[in-house]
Amino acid sequence: MKDFLQKLNREQKSAVLNTEGPSLVVAGAGSGKTKVLTSRLAYILEQKKAWPNQILCVTFTNKAAKEMRERVIKIIGGKTNSLAWLGTFHSISVKFLRRHAEAIGLKSNFTILDTDDQKKLIKNICKGENIDAKKISPQFIMSLIDQWKNKGLLPDEVKLTKKNLFEGQILKVYKIYQNKIKDLNACDFGDLILYCVKIFENNEDIKNIYSNNFKYILVDEYQDTNFIQNKWLNLIINKNKNICCVGDDDQSIYSWRGAEIKNFLGFDKVYPDCKIFRLEQNYRSTKNILDVASFLISHNKDRLGKKLWSDGEKGDAVKLNCYRDGKEEAEGISDLIEENIKKKSSLNNIAILVRAIYQTREFEERFLKTGINYRIIGGIKFYERAEVKDAICYLRIINQKFDDLAFERIINTPKRGLGDATIKQLHNYSSKNKSCLEDSARKLLQLNEFKPKVRVVINHLLELISKWRSDLKTKKHYDLLKIILDESGYSAMLKNKKDLENENKIENLKELLRAMHDYDNLQGFLEHVALATSIDQEWGDEKVNIMTMHAAKGLEFETVFLPGWEEGLFPHQKSLEEKGDLALEEERRLAYVGITRAQKKAYISFAMKRLWHGDWMDSLASRFVNELPENGIEKNEEPVKEIADDFDFNQDNLIEDNSEYRSPGWARLKKKLIK
């Protein structure tokens, strides 16, 4: 125990040892936030201040929870499987709800809907209510419902503001939607926390079970909490108020998804006797990078205040480059990456951080031309791929028969010759008799209501479902999936069509089977799938990382490129129009996050013109460029260089032996194409 305490600096150690009462740890970028949180958890356990199951530790991602668990193991040794209450807000809420589902009108084996399920259900409701999807998109409806849930509002609690002409119609959809998913014995992500809050508010005895049990509460990334998450925490806090929240107000960048920085800034008002610890020593970046980031963020007014410092090397100045246009910017950054390649630097240590995802196109085009490997972080996630979702829906319906959305997806997947008329027949009977689709199908079979061919198909499928449920009692869940894929005809469907796309689908299903081995049972695996987050990203291979600045939070790279620092793009015009100065401060925090991802080198750039909707538009350098300090910044001497026009994004990939050297990476591309 003494060893791990000795590895902490003075401020970190103070934050770890002060276990009693409320405390707020203001942890600057790269200051060892996770180290402090982990050490505090380990210290509580080592000192026997609480049993493992008396500690609630909340993170925002599964990745962060896993990392904490592994770090605690290293510190105290042995197994920490007993840390049952270490996880994300959503995963812990699932545990609460599984135990007390009846208190909210659900069965304990409820299904967690994903966004596709939600969208499909809302589309069906809109169709039934004659709501024009062109005027009010299902995505917009989902967004507003999510906002209401983040504010702790069930349909009957919503008060219309008339800010939006369609609010009344959307509220009507919300009421139908909420009743429908209850009928499905399901809930969505927003419900997981909201339902817990409602249970705690309406059932003092249930709330007391947890508030009396949890002697210590630890919260990671507290600046990212929204209203309902903060209320969730406040309801289960014990009388001793032993809550420790760790975060950084300068990295609060998620207001668009409901995060409220006032939770962090107002912590000392909620807990007047709280202690505040500031972690200002940075272990990630050079002094120059820190000085530039600190100077920029000092322009914000709503912050607790801190000054990052480092006893490491001063390092290179932050480079500020001006380019003629977006194409030249992509070329310039590509050339700089080529220099890293020549120095044998790992591509994995390089990141391009953009404000908007559409900025990636020009970089992708350039890298494809020059043969630089890259990855887009934030593309289609593994569990969102069609074939993977199909397989999971088979497992969901095996898990519980009330999952109508899963049943509807698999009933004609692979194609079984069932048309829309059959699906409609099922829905009509289900709606009329208030039964799930599976039960409706079985009843319609008994009543001989299906056409002969349809009857054969549905009867066969239902027999298979019954068989698979029986198989689950004696077989492992991953072995069951193999059986399902074979007996359903899904494997044959993919194998019968030999092409690269189907081969990739088969490989994805193999990967799915491998992933299932990490979970003890089917329900545990399905919960993992439902709670998987976009930040939990597979890495591997040598590739330049391209992502938004939002997606980069929590990550670090040796070299970081920050392109597109222009007014309208960054700070983003739409954000400024909607929220004014509040948005401006958040955009500046985003700039701070971007710069502090860099360990050794940071490059900021802007273009004098960009192509918008087919037209060239003149650009102005971002106001953030003017807010950078003179010291620590190196401006390029020739902001606009004249370059040959022979290298065009649209040039043909024709290669002749006597071709001239056209650009960095041309030789590498030539080798690729010849192969």
Side-chain angles (χ1 to χ4, degrees):
M1 182 191 69
K2 291 181 181 178
D3 288 342
F4 81 84
L5 289 177
Q6 287 172 358
K7 293 177 182 178
L8 304 173
N9 65 36
R10 187 180 64 183
E11 291 78 13
Q12 290 173 335
K13 191 173 180 179
S14 297
V16 167
L17 297 180
N18 184 71
T19 58
E20 308 309 302
S23 58
L24 182 70
V25 182
V26 185
S31 62
K33 166 179 68 69
T34 306
K35 188 178 184 179
V36 166
L37 207 57
T38 306
S39 299
R40 186 182 176 94
L41 177 55
Y43 180 73
I44 290 169
L45 291 171
E46 282 284 346
Q47 294 295 304
K48 295 184 170 52
K49 290 176 175 290
W51 297 106
N53 66 352
Q54 293 176 316
I55 303 171
L56 173 65
C57 188
V58 190
T59 66
F60 267 82
T61 67
N62 297 315
K63 181 182 176 185
K66 184 183 177 184
E67 185 182 349
M68 278 197 65
R69 191 179 296 274
E70 288 172 349
R71 287 196 186 190
V72 171
I73 290 173
K74 284 184 181 178
I75 293 173
I76 66 174
K79 296 182 179 179
T80 57
N81 293 335
S82 54
L83 285 172
W85 301 103
L86 191 164
T88 65
F89 276 101
H90 291 102
S91 66
I92 293 170
S93 292
V94 169
K95 287 186 179 181
F96 289 151
L97 284 180
R98 293 285 183 211
R99 295 181 175 194
H100 310 289
E102 290 77 11
I104 205 74
L106 292 172
K107 296 181 178 67
S108 61
N109 66 338
F110 60 84
T111 298
I112 304 168
L113 303 184
D114 63 15
T115 51
D116 282 353
D117 292 330
Q118 289 176 262
K119 193 180 290 185
K120 192 170 185 178
L121 192 55
I122 286 170
K123 277 183 179 177
N124 290 338
I125 294 169
C126 288
K127 195 180 288 183
E129 295 298 313
N130 294 317
I131 295 172
D132 190 349
K134 293 179 181 177
K135 290 183 179 179
I136 317 176
S137 72
Q139 192 65 45
F140 181 75
I141 294 172
M142 283 170 60
S143 174
L144 190 53
I145 290 175
D146 194 51
Q147 286 178 38
W148 282 329
K149 290 185 177 183
N150 285 340
K151 292 175 182 175
L153 303 173
L154 288 169
D156 293 338
E157 299 168 321
V158 174
K159 293 181 180 178
L160 297 177
T161 61
K162 296 182 180 178
K163 287 182 180 178
N164 188 293
L165 294 172
F166 303 112
E167 264 197 355
Q169 286 179 281
I170 296 172
L171 180 56
K172 188 178 180 182
V173 173
Y174 183 17
K175 288 178 180 177
I176 299 170
Y177 169 80
Q178 211 61 18
N179 288 331
K180 182 61 179 173
I181 60 175
K182 275 276 187 81
D183 292 340
L184 296 174
N185 189 37
C187 60
D188 60 27
F189 257 49
D191 290 327
L192 294 177
I193 300 173
L194 176 58
Y195 281 165
C196 284
V197 166
K198 296 301 180 185
I199 289 172
F200 294 153
E201 284 181 330
N202 299 323
N203 300 271
E204 190 77 15
D205 55 334
I206 295 176
K207 186 195 79 169
N208 288 339
I209 292 172
Y210 299 100
S211 61
N212 292 334
N213 177 72
F214 295 132
K215 289 187 175 181
Y216 296 93
I217 298 175
L218 288 75
V219 187
D220 192 17
E221 304 288 5
Y222 184 58
Q223 79 282 345
D224 292 335
T225 55
N226 59 28
F227 172 85
I228 198 67
Q229 289 165 338
N230 200 47
K231 192 169 185 177
W232 182 95
L233 286 167
N234 290 333
L235 280 168
I236 56 174
I237 197 168
N238 60 27
K239 294 177 182 178
N240 297 323
K241 296 181 180 178
N242 293 334
I243 182 170
C244 176
C245 296
V246 182
D248 184 3
D249 51 321
D250 289 335
Q251 295 187 70
S252 179
I253 58 175
Y254 295 123
S255 68
W256 50 275
R257 69 184 190 198
E260 295 190 356
I261 193 173
K262 65 182 182 183
N263 293 339
F264 194 96
L265 298 176
F267 187 85
D268 59 340
K269 294 179 178 64
V270 178
Y271 304 103
D273 57 337
C274 76
K275 293 183 180 177
I276 298 177
F277 303 90
R278 285 178 170 81
L279 307 184
E280 297 176 312
Q281 185 175 1
N282 177 283
Y283 296 93
R284 175 188 299 154
S285 308
T286 62
K287 289 180 179 178
N288 268 330
I289 290 171
L290 293 178
D291 288 345
V292 169
S294 295
F295 190 87
L296 178 62
I297 199 63
S298 69
H299 290 80
N300 272 8
K301 295 176 182 177
D302 288 332
R303 57 192 297 260
L304 293 178
K306 62 182 175 301
K307 179 72 164 69
L308 291 181
W309 62 275
S310 170
D311 59 6
E313 60 182 17
K314 188 174 182 180
D316 295 342
V318 173
K319 304 296 192 300
L320 179 61
N321 294 324
C322 171
Y323 294 100
R324 187 170 51 185
D325 52 41
K327 172 189 166 183
E328 187 184 280
E329 184 178 49
E331 291 175 350
I333 289 173
S334 176
D335 289 354
L336 290 166
I337 291 172
E338 290 286 350
E339 292 177 14
N340 279 269
I341 293 172
K342 289 175 184 175
K343 294 175 184 176
K344 307 296 183 184
S345 298
S346 169
L347 291 180
N348 287 333
N349 289 329
I350 300 172
I352 299 172
L353 309 183
V354 298
R355 175 60 181 87
I357 196 66
Y358 67 79
Q359 290 175 257
T360 66
R361 185 192 65 82
E362 285 174 314
F363 295 102
E364 289 190 72
E365 295 247 23
R366 178 67 180 179
F367 293 162
L368 288 169
K369 289 289 185 184
T370 60
I372 294 176
N373 291 328
Y374 68 92
R375 65 170 69 84
I376 302 290
I377 308 296
I380 297 176
K381 293 184 290 183
F382 178 78
Y383 291 112
E384 291 176 352
R385 294 168 188 171
E387 64 280 5
V388 175
K389 290 200 72 168
D390 290 340
I392 288 168
C393 279
Y394 270 103
L395 294 171
R396 279 169 48 179
I397 200 64
I398 302 306
N399 186 53
Q400 68 120 342
K401 69 177 182 178
F402 298 100
D403 195 337
D404 281 2
L405 294 166
F407 186 85
E408 190 170 345
R409 185 173 182 117
I410 63 105
I411 192 171
N412 204 36
T413 305
K415 297 292 183 186
R416 298 187 172 93
L418 301 178
D420 291 342
T422 304
I423 307 299
K424 189 177 179 180
Q425 186 182 3
L426 278 169
H427 274 293
N428 288 342
Y429 187 90
S430 171
S431 180
K432 187 178 178 181
N433 294 277
K434 296 187 175 173
S435 60
C436 64
L437 289 181
E438 183 183 330
D439 283 346
S440 298
R442 295 185 185 280
K443 191 66 180 176
L444 287 168
L445 277 175
Q446 292 175 10
L447 298 171
N448 201 24
E449 292 289 334
F450 291 125
K451 293 178 180 178
K453 287 184 179 178
V454 172
R455 179 180 176 83
V456 171
V457 169
I458 289 182
N459 186 58
H460 180 62
L461 177 62
L462 292 175
E463 285 179 348
L464 284 173
I465 290 172
S466 297
K467 175 187 173 296
W468 295 332
R469 285 189 183 129
S470 180
D471 286 344
L472 184 59
K473 296 174 183 177
T474 57
K475 300 182 187 299
K476 293 288 186 183
H477 48 294
Y478 42 82
D479 289 329
L480 175 63
L481 181 57
K482 293 178 190 175
I483 295 168
I484 290 171
L485 292 172
D486 287 336
E487 294 183 350
S488 67
Y490 202 97
S491 295
M493 174 188 73
L494 295 180
K495 291 174 182 175
N496 287 340
K497 189 179 179 183
K498 296 289 183 183
D499 62 18
L500 183 60
E501 185 181 355
N502 272 18
E503 286 174 12
N504 289 335
K505 288 180 178 180
I506 290 169
E507 287 303 314
N508 287 336
L509 289 174
K510 287 179 180 177
E511 185 59 32
L512 176 65
L513 285 164
R514 284 193 286 270
M516 291 177 70
H517 281 75
D518 294 335
Y519 298 87
D520 295 330
N521 53 55
L522 179 58
Q523 187 165 290
F525 173 69
L526 290 176
E527 281 183 9
H528 162 72
V529 171
L531 299 170
T533 61
S534 59
I535 199 67
D536 300 331
Q537 176 78 34
E538 294 294 326
W539 296 85
D541 299 332
E542 285 282 312
K543 293 178 182 179
V544 174
N545 305 286
I546 309 175
M547 71 193 83
T548 64
M549 283 182 273
H550 284 100
K553 188 168 172 291
L555 304 177
E556 59 185 43
F557 306 91
E558 282 187 8
T559 302
V560 169
F561 294 94
L562 299 157
W565 280 41
E566 298 136 33
E567 284 295 306
L569 179 53
F570 190 45
H572 202 280
Q573 189 61 35
K574 187 180 177 183
S575 296
L576 297 183
E577 288 172 357
E578 290 179 353
K579 295 183 179 179
D581 287 345
L582 290 175
L584 178 60
E585 294 217 343
E586 180 156 331
E587 292 283 299
R588 194 176 284 113
R589 291 196 291 268
L590 192 57
Y592 172 84
V593 167
I595 296 170
T596 55
R597 298 311 93 196
Q599 297 169 311
K600 295 181 178 179
K601 293 183 179 182
Y603 297 83
I604 296 169
S605 60
F606 60 94
M608 295 198 303
K609 61 179 180 179
R610 286 199 185 268
L611 200 59
W612 293 92
H613 306 295
D615 296 319
W616 286 103
M617 302 287 288
D618 291 333
S619 301
L620 291 173
S622 168
R623 68 191 74 185
F624 298 153
V625 169
N626 297 322
E627 292 175 356
L628 297 172
E630 289 295 326
N631 296 329
I633 292 288
E634 183 182 302
K635 300 177 182 179
N636 57 354
E637 294 180 4
E638 300 177 0
V640 182
K641 63 176 183 176
E642 293 297 326
I643 57 173
D645 289 326
D646 61 356
F647 190 86
D648 189 78
F649 284 144
N650 298 314
Q651 70 183 32
D652 293 330
N653 287 331
L654 296 174
I655 296 179
E656 299 175 2
D657 291 337
N658 62 351
S659 293
E660 63 180 317
Y661 179 81
R662 301 192 183 193
S663 70
W666 183 254
R668 182 169 58 248
L669 174 65
K670 183 175 177 178
K671 286 180 184 177
K672 268 191 179 183
L673 293 177
I674 290 174
K675 284 180 182 178

